[in-house]
């Protein structure tokens, strides 16, 4: 029994005449009759009774016809949904991105994607970097925007580089400086992200290279919150330049080499991307800035 047979049964019960139903279905009366006989044999019940005026459904036939209508409609919805999924212009892309990019890179990128592929549906997930990587590995998201390179089987495409700065409270002794070296933070209290977060790894590596390990006063997953804690006088922090001054902190350029973070697209190279995800990547890679100084 297949979807075609179910559709034929539904139509035949509605019309009540084999010859007329066959004509509507674009088949022959013998072919339709054989399909009914095949269904009756498979189900083990009589579905139709033949009379001089046509055919009538038995109680079992009415039950089968009702089920057939539901199954045929569900199958049609499935084919429609699959067509939408496979359509690069109307399918769905699951995109994960860092909280710290929610008000900067991501809105501009989505604006460009919407302009070029307005019917593309993008499902958004804001997550820390280590969760993003786990979701990419598990197939829970199609594409991610994160802040550091990844290894195989994940693929990485850099989009831009963000300069990092030290932010200090407005009345801090360093607030009048234009530039600072990380070694000067040795006796400061640090506000930063929790361990396991990509930004924490980056900051820890920079401080280690500078030969200092400031004590951590507060931790937050959100870089905007970190900047606000610094502005309130609760420590100093290393954040992307875009966050400096949002709540009154003072941003200082960093004199050490490598004080920046790369932001890029990541996806799983070991599995096929959907047409919609491929379309998203094509637009994103063309419309966003490349890595700069």
């Amino acid at each position: 029994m297949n979807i075609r047979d179910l559709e034929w049964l539904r139509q035949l019960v509605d019309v009540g005449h084999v010859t007329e139903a066959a004509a509507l279905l674009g088949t022959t009366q013998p072919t339709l009759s054989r399909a009914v006989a095949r269904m009756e044999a498979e189900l083990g019940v009589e579905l139709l009774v033949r009379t001089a005026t046509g055919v009538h459904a038995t109680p079992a036939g009415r039950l089968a016809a009702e089920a057939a209508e539901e199954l045929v409609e569900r199958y049609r919805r499935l084919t429609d949904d699959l067509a939408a999924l496979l359509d690069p212009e109307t399918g769905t892309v699951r995109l994960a991105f860092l909280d710290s990019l929610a008000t900067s890179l991501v809105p501009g990128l989505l604006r460009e994607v919407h302009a070029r592929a307005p019917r593309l549906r993008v499902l958004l997930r804001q997550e820390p970097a280590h969760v993003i990587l786990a979701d990419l590995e598990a197939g829970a998201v199609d594409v991610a925007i994160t802040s550091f390179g990844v290894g195989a089987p994940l693929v990485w495409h850099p989009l831009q580089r963000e300069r990092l700065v030290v932010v200090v409270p407005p009345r801090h002794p360093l607030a009048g400086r234009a530039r600072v070296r990380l070694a000067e933070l040795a006796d400061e209290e640090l506000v930063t992200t929790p361990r396991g977060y990509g930004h924490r790894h980056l900051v820890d590596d920079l401080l280690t290279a500078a030969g200092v390990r400031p004590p951590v006063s507060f931790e937050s997953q959100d870089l905007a919150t970190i900047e606000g804690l610094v502005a309130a006088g609760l420590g100093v922090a290393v954040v992307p330049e875009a966050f400096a001054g949002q709540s009154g902190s003072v941003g200082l350029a960093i004199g050490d080499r490598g004080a920046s973070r790369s932001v890029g697209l990541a996806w799983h190279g070991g599995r096929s991307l959907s047409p919609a995800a491929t379309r998203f990547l094509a637009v994103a890679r063309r419309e966003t800035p490349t890595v700069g100084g």
Side-chain angles (χ1 to χ4, degrees), residues 175-256:
R177 299 264 299 274
R179 181 177 297 269
V180 65
R181 297 193 65 85
L182 293 176
E184 299 179 69
L185 305 182
D187 297 326
E188 302 289 342
E189 290 187 314
L190 186 69
V191 185
T192 186
T193 51
R195 291 189 181 279
Y197 281 65
H199 185 75
R200 176 64 174 267
H201 286 305
L202 177 59
V203 172
D204 284 352
D205 286 348
L206 287 171
L207 293 171
T208 298
V212 295
R213 183 171 293 187
V216 174
S217 57
F218 292 94
E219 295 178 339
S220 173
Q221 302 176 12
D222 181 55
L223 293 181
T225 299
I226 288 173
E227 186 274 335
L229 293 173
V230 170
L234 298 174
V236 302
V238 178
V239 297
E241 188 175 23
F243 288 88
Q246 288 187 354
S247 300
S249 67
V250 177
L252 312 175
I254 298 175
D256 304 65

Side-chain angles (χ1 to χ4, degrees), residues 2 41 73 81 149 152 164 187 204 223 269 280 290 293:
N2 53 41
E73 178 57 29
D81 290 345
L164 297 178
D187 297 326
D204 284 352
L223 293 181
F280 177 91
T290 56

Side-chain angles (χ1 to χ4, degrees), residues 83-140:
L85 179 66
L86 297 175
D87 186 342
E89 299 298 331
T90 62
T92 299
V93 182
R94 299 166 299 170
L95 174 68
F97 60 92
L98 297 172
D99 288 341
S100 60
L101 301 173
T103 59
S104 54
L105 175 65
V106 173
L109 175 60
L110 293 179
R111 183 177 60 249
E112 296 296 342
V113 169
H114 185 67
R116 292 186 173 272
R119 294 182 296 160
L120 196 66
R121 186 181 181 211
V122 183
L123 300 181
L124 304 176
R125 300 173 67 160
Q126 292 181 229
E127 300 175 335
H130 62 283
V131 176
I132 286 176
L133 295 184
D135 281 349
L136 283 171
E137 290 275 9

Side-chain angles (χ1 to χ4, degrees), residues 38-75:
R38 184 166 56 249
M39 285 185 281
E40 290 179 329
E42 185 172 336
L43 295 173
V45 294
E46 186 178 40
L47 300 175
L48 301 168
V49 293
R50 282 76 175 169
T51 67
T53 59
V55 294
H56 300 280
T58 65
R62 286 193 295 272
L63 183 63
E66 291 172 2
E69 184 169 9
E70 294 177 7
L71 291 169
V72 169
E73 178 57 29
R74 183 66 189 93
Y75 179 76

Side-chain angles (χ1 to χ4, degrees), residues 151-166:
L154 301 181
V155 181
W156 167 261
H157 175 79
L159 296 175
Q160 66 182 29
R161 181 177 293 138
E162 297 181 326
R163 185 179 293 109
L164 297 178
V165 299
V166 171

